[in-house]
Amino acid sequence: MNNFEFYSPTEFVFGRDTESKVGKLTAEAGAKKVMIVYGGGSVVKSGLLARVEKSLKEAGIEFVELGGVKPNPVDTKVYEGIELARKENVDFMLPVGGGSVIDTAKSIAVGVCYDGDFWDFYEGKAEIKAALKVGVVLTIPAAGSEGSGNAVITNKDLKKFGIRAPKLLRPVFAIMNPELTMTLPAWQTASGVVDMMVHIFERYFTNTKNVSISDRLCEGILLSIIEEAPKVMANPNDYDARANIMWAGTVAHNGTCGVGREEEWTSHQMEHEISALYDVTHGAGLAVVFPAWATYMAKHHPAYVYQMATRIFGVPEGDDKTAVALQGVERLKKFWKSIGMPLTFKELGVENPDIDLLVKNLHRNKGEEFGFYVKVNPAISREIYEYCI
Ligand code: NZQ
Ligand code: ZN
């Protein structure tokens, strides 16, 4: 196992009606003037926004609001938020929503504390040294941003990039009420399930030896997701299944599963090019690209694909590692299909994918060769994108 440093200070407040504690938690965090950030209106429709406002008022916390964040959030909303935060002397960010809303709030949090362009952080031109505190009210288990130190934003040049600063960007609190997720459209629930599974796979596929604790953590969480997800799809109001899926989304991505081992992340980088170009739902894009990546790996470096197949999908062991590994990939695809996820570009709604452009953008953004489990060059990434057709 590799050496590691792991700092995860978020206070998770989980369960029914926990959003009523948002005023108290925000006050305890020292906030005076809060910016509530939200998306396209689901929190208005459900009444959640009104409940959050009420709780803040009761705690004597002033607030301003920034709505209209879109999925696959863009830089323009961040600039708008930075300007508003400066004008209103905001000292605390309160995203109420999913990954897109949280990541916009995190980006505003770092942008407000920096004299230059916040995008410098995304290009690696500046180091994040300060940020406003962020507290979260989560409405969708998927991106895991409520426990992660990361944020992902797309700019006008179709660069969908991430920043990472665990000491500054992990939320101080995350309010997680599984009931809030009962209004999710089935497509978003299933996309979230895929995203959290791939967050685990990106850590599971490694060349680091002797990491049985995190191997088994990954496998245990994946097995539980595979058990609980069909219950949520069949009955969106099943509280306990919703609760298990919601917590799975957090532990999938708060770092626990990846400590002490080299992580992968190529599938995410390949998907980010797809959602930057075609504005598809991130998790649905992963349902297409991850099995394609795993197919390539089954043929060229089957070790962890074989382990996934035998330990998670119950494929019998065999001498032909690639054949066993490929069976595992087929079972994974079957599972994702069963919860309504696409497996090809066409099913994702991308009729004529521009693979030349995807490959070009990918390597423009990530370099000629990248990845850890197996390094990916333009010929390999092309082959993987072609498996998605
Ligand atoms: O905008 P509203 O109206 O709120 O609707 C949203 C949105 O359309 C809807 N929704 C959310 N909660 C709901 C609800 N609808 C009804 N009831 C509810 N309770 O769901 C849609 C998707 O929301 P979004 O925030 O985009 O979802 P998600 O959490 O999947 O976030 C995706 C973004 O996070 C990035 C992705 O790339 C993508 O941009 N990621 C962020 C990561 C991180 N910060 O660590 C890691 C991930 O790998 C990922 O890349
Ligand atoms: Zn993801």
Side-chain angles (χ1 to χ4, degrees):
M1 198 195 298
N2 298 337
N3 294 349
F4 66 85
E5 290 174 16
F6 182 54
Y7 179 71
S8 181
T10 307
E11 179 177 5
F12 295 100
V13 181
F14 193 99
R16 285 190 172 96
D17 196 33
T18 41
E19 64 273 20
S20 64
K21 297 186 180 163
V22 67
K24 182 172 163 280
L25 288 163
T26 307
E28 280 170 9
K32 303 252 168 332
K33 181 100 180 242
V34 166
M35 182 186 288
I36 301 176
V37 184
Y38 63 95
S42 71
V43 299
V44 178
K45 204 168 147 206
S46 67
L48 174 62
L49 184 63
R51 296 204 295 285
V52 168
E53 290 167 350
K54 179 169 174 274
S55 177
L56 290 175
K57 279 182 195 152
E58 282 168 3
I61 306 278
E62 285 186 63
F63 57 85
V64 289
E65 292 182 354
L66 180 76
V69 174
K70 296 200 179 89
N72 298 318
V74 290
D75 57 352
T76 46
K77 204 52 156 182
V78 178
Y79 291 118
E80 189 187 329
I82 292 170
E83 205 181 307
L84 180 64
R86 287 191 175 136
K87 187 168 143 248
E88 297 282 346
N89 284 319
V90 165
D91 61 7
F92 189 92
M93 298 302 299
L94 183 64
V96 181
S100 299
V101 168
I102 302 169
D103 290 1
T104 300
K106 286 180 176 177
S107 304
I108 297 168
V110 294
V112 169
C113 301
Y114 178 59
D115 285 338
D117 181 349
F118 90 96
W119 192 255
D120 290 350
F121 298 126
Y122 281 82
E123 293 279 358
K125 290 183 186 160
E127 195 190 327
I128 299 171
K129 298 221 167 91
L132 300 183
K133 285 183 186 169
V134 180
V136 169
V137 181
L138 186 67
T139 63
I140 171 172
S145 191
E146 71 281 4
S148 85
N150 307 14
V152 180
I153 298 288
T154 305
N155 82 351
K156 59 181 181 337
D157 301 324
L158 298 183
K159 290 183 172 178
K160 187 170 185 179
F161 281 8
I163 49 171
R164 179 169 165 70
K167 287 198 177 155
L168 292 166
L169 283 184
R170 287 198 200 261
V172 290
F173 63 76
I175 292 174
M176 300 171 63
N177 175 358
E179 281 182 335
L180 299 178
T181 69
M182 291 176 183
T183 53
L184 278 167
W187 172 263
Q188 290 296 342
T189 299
S191 296
V193 164
V194 173
D195 193 15
M196 63 183 76
M197 289 180 73
V198 180
H199 291 160
I200 301 172
F201 285 135
E202 299 278 22
R203 294 172 164 99
Y204 188 62
F205 285 82
T206 191
N207 295 309
T208 310
K209 302 285 178 225
N210 301 319
V211 282
S212 110
I213 175 70
S214 43
D215 268 6
R216 293 299 190 183
L217 271 173
C218 290
E219 289 158 5
I221 302 164
L222 285 163
L223 284 166
S224 162
I225 295 170
I226 292 166
E227 218 170 274
E228 298 298 321
K231 296 185 198 165
V232 165
M233 299 312 294
N235 177 8
N237 296 328
D238 181 336
Y239 179 86
D240 287 315
R242 284 281 186 195
N244 278 293
I245 289 294
M246 196 172 204
W247 189 235
T250 302
V251 291
H253 197 45
N254 79 339
T256 317
C257 293
V259 292
R261 55 201 287 147
E262 190 171 68
E263 299 182 4
E264 180 29 56
W265 296 101
T266 299
S267 302
H268 261 71
Q269 280 149 0
M270 293 187 72
E271 193 293 320
H272 283 169
E273 296 309 332
I274 302 173
S275 49
L277 194 56
Y278 299 111
D279 201 18
V280 297
T281 306
H282 168 63
L286 286 170
V288 174
V289 90
F290 179 77
W293 178 88
T295 299
Y296 182 90
M297 297 306 145
K299 292 178 182 171
H300 297 274
H301 184 16
Y304 262 87
V305 200
Y306 178 92
Q307 189 169 305
M308 172 195 85
T310 53
R311 291 191 183 178
I312 300 167
F313 290 102
V315 180
E317 305 222 349
D319 292 336
D320 185 343
K321 303 279 181 214
T322 292
V324 172
L326 285 172
Q327 278 187 61
V329 177
E330 282 314 306
R331 290 190 189 189
L332 171 67
K333 285 163 81 169
K334 200 169 158 213
F335 174 66
W336 283 348
K337 184 109 206 146
S338 77
I339 58 169
M341 282 285 98
L343 298 173
T344 61
F345 274 120
K346 198 169 177 202
E347 289 170 3
L348 185 61
V350 180
E351 286 286 337
N352 295 304
D354 188 340
I355 290 182
D356 288 343
L357 187 57
L358 287 168
V359 171
K360 190 172 144 226
N361 287 353
L362 179 68
H363 293 281
R364 171 196 72 175
N365 295 340
K366 302 297 168 202
E368 207 41 26
E369 262 201 352
F370 67 95
F372 289 100
Y373 185 68
V374 166
K375 280 204 183 315
V376 166
N377 59 32
I380 298 174
S381 60
R382 175 177 299 278
E383 187 175 338
I384 295 172
Y385 278 133
E386 280 168 356
Y387 287 150
C388 301
I389 290 173

